[in-house]
Amino acid sequence: MSFRFAFRPYQRRLRQPLRTARDAQITVRLGIWLRLETDTEVRWGEIAPWPSFGSETLAEAIAFCEAFPPDPEWEDLATAPDSLPACQFGFGCLRESNATDFLPTSAVLLPAGAAALTAIATASPATTYKWKIGLDLESELDLLPQLDRLLPSAAKLRLDANGGLTKAQADRLLQVLTAINERRSGRIEWLEQPLDPSQVDDLLQLVQDWPLVAIALDESVSQLSSLQFWQAQGWPGLYVLKPAIAGWPQTVRQFCQVHHLPVVVSSMFESPIGWRAVAAIAAQLGRADQAQGLGTTAWFTDDWESKTAAALWQHP
Ligand SMILES: [Mg+2]
C-alpha cells in the first residue's frame, strides 16, 4: 500500500470572542487539516492545538507537518512524540477510516458574564447548558439566580471555571450550588475544574466537602499522562476528555474503556473535520444519559458544518 500525505493550515472566525479564565480573548480559530490518500480511500485528520490546555503551539505542529514525508510509510503515522498531543490526535485519525455519521446530543455553550442571559433567550431550548465562570465571581454569583430562573425548568446547568477560582471562592460557590441542588435536584449537573490543576489535594478536598454537586476535571486531565495520574489517585468525580489535545485517540479510548472512567467528551472549537472525529469518540465513550460537550459548532458564522471534508479542503 502506498500513501500520499498533505496538510493545510486553516483559520476560522468566531461569531463572538471567546473568553475563559485561561484565555484572554480568542477571535480566530487556527488549525491544520491533514489529508492522507491510500490506494482505496482518502482519510482526513485535524490538528487543533490549544496551548493554554497543555498542547503544543500551532507553530510546533506546523513544523512537525513540514518535516513529515509526503509519501509516508504506515509506521510514519505513529511517530508524533508525546510532546505533540494535538499532532498525535490528527495523525491518529489518519490511522483509522473516518467515522462521521453519529451526532450525539450536546450541551449549549453560553458566553461568559451577563451575555449568557440574552443567549439563553435566543438559543433554541436544550436539555443542558454550560456557562463559563471564574472571570468575576462576585458578578457571576449575582447572575446565577437570574440564569436559574431563565433556564427551562428541567434543564441542567454546568459551570466551568477553567481553573480560575481560589479554594475559598470555590467553597463559596459550591455552597450556593449546593443550595440550588437542594431546592431542585440535579439542576447543577457539575462544576468543572474549579481550581488550577496544580491544586491536587484541594480538588480532592472539594469532592469530600460538597457531596451534592459533582465536580469534573478538565484541564487537570488534558493529556493521557495526566488522565493516568488522576485515575491512579482514584478521582471520584467526572473526567472531561478533549480528544483533540489528549494524544493518540486509540490509546486514550482504550485507557478510558479499561478503567470504566466516567467520561464526558468535549470539543475544542475544531473545524468539522476534527469535530466529527471527536463526536465519533463521544459516541464510543460518553454516557448515553449525558449530553456531551460538543456545542462549539454554533460559535462559527460560516457554513462549514454542512460541508464535506473534501469541500473544506478546497476552501480558499
Ligand atoms: Mg472545561
Side-chain angles (χ1 to χ4, degrees), residues 2 77 80 94 103 109 112 189-190 200 206 229 275 281 287 303:
S2 66
L77 296 174
L94 297 183
L103 298 183
L109 179 59
E189 194 178 19
W190 69 68
V200 172
L206 288 179
F229 169 83
W275 188 91
I281 293 174
R287 273 171 40 181
D303 61 347

Side-chain angles (χ1 to χ4, degrees), residues 179-195:
I180 294 176
N181 270 357
E182 278 170 346
R183 214 167 45 239
R184 191 182 297 173
S185 170
R187 174 61 127 188
I188 304 297
E189 194 178 19
W190 69 68
L191 170 62
E192 194 167 313
Q193 197 71 44
L195 309 177

Side-chain angles (χ1 to χ4, degrees), residues 86-306:
C87 287
Q88 289 184 339
F89 173 77
F91 281 88
C93 290
L94 297 183
R95 293 162 69 192
E96 301 176 350
S97 278
N98 299 127
T100 57
D101 49 355
F102 185 86
L103 298 183
T105 60
S106 179
V108 170
L109 179 59
L110 300 170
L117 301 178
T118 41
I120 287 181
T122 53
S124 43
T127 57
T128 311
Y129 295 79
K130 179 169 178 176
W131 189 35
K132 295 277 188 186
I133 57 157
L135 299 148
D136 176 0
L137 187 65
E138 291 312 312
S139 73
E140 287 155 358
L141 285 171
D142 283 344
L143 290 166
L144 196 53
Q146 303 176 54
L147 207 57
D148 187 29
R149 274 195 301 274
L150 282 172
L151 286 173
S153 62
K156 294 174 178 168
L157 180 63
R158 303 170 179 174
L159 301 177
D160 188 357
N162 289 109
L165 302 179
T166 64
K167 172 70 162 49
Q169 286 177 319
D171 280 319
R172 182 145 171 254
L173 174 62
L174 280 159
Q175 189 174 16
V176 173
L177 300 180
T178 295
I180 294 176
N181 270 357
E182 278 170 346
R183 214 167 45 239
R184 191 182 297 173
S185 170
R187 174 61 127 188
I188 304 297
E189 194 178 19
W190 69 68
L191 170 62
E192 194 167 313
Q193 197 71 44
L195 309 177
D196 188 84
S198 63
Q199 293 172 265
V200 172
D201 292 339
D202 285 341
L203 283 162
L204 288 165
Q205 190 65 46
L206 288 179
V207 175
Q208 270 193 8
D209 291 347
W210 303 102
L212 288 190
V213 180
I215 297 181
L217 296 180
D218 182 355
E219 285 85 342
S220 285
V221 294
S222 287
Q223 278 80 45
L224 179 63
S225 55
S226 46
L227 197 61
Q228 290 167 328
F229 169 83
W230 278 98
Q231 188 276 329
Q233 297 285 315
W235 172 249
L238 299 157
Y239 296 79
V240 176
L241 179 69
K242 292 179 152 55
I245 56 165
W248 297 112
Q250 295 82 2
T251 314
V252 169
R253 193 166 53 214
Q254 188 187 23
F255 182 79
C256 293
Q257 285 170 335
V258 165
H259 295 285
H260 304 287
L261 297 189
V263 162
V264 182
V265 173
S266 172
S267 56
M268 290 210 85
F269 301 90
E270 302 86 359
S271 85
I273 291 177
W275 188 91
R276 288 167 198 161
V278 169
I281 293 174
Q284 292 162 327
L285 290 184
R287 273 171 40 181
D289 62 343
Q290 245 165 11
Q292 305 297 303
L294 300 168
T296 52
T297 55
W299 279 60
F300 297 96
T301 50
D302 53 51
D303 61 347
W304 286 16
E305 307 313 325
S306 64

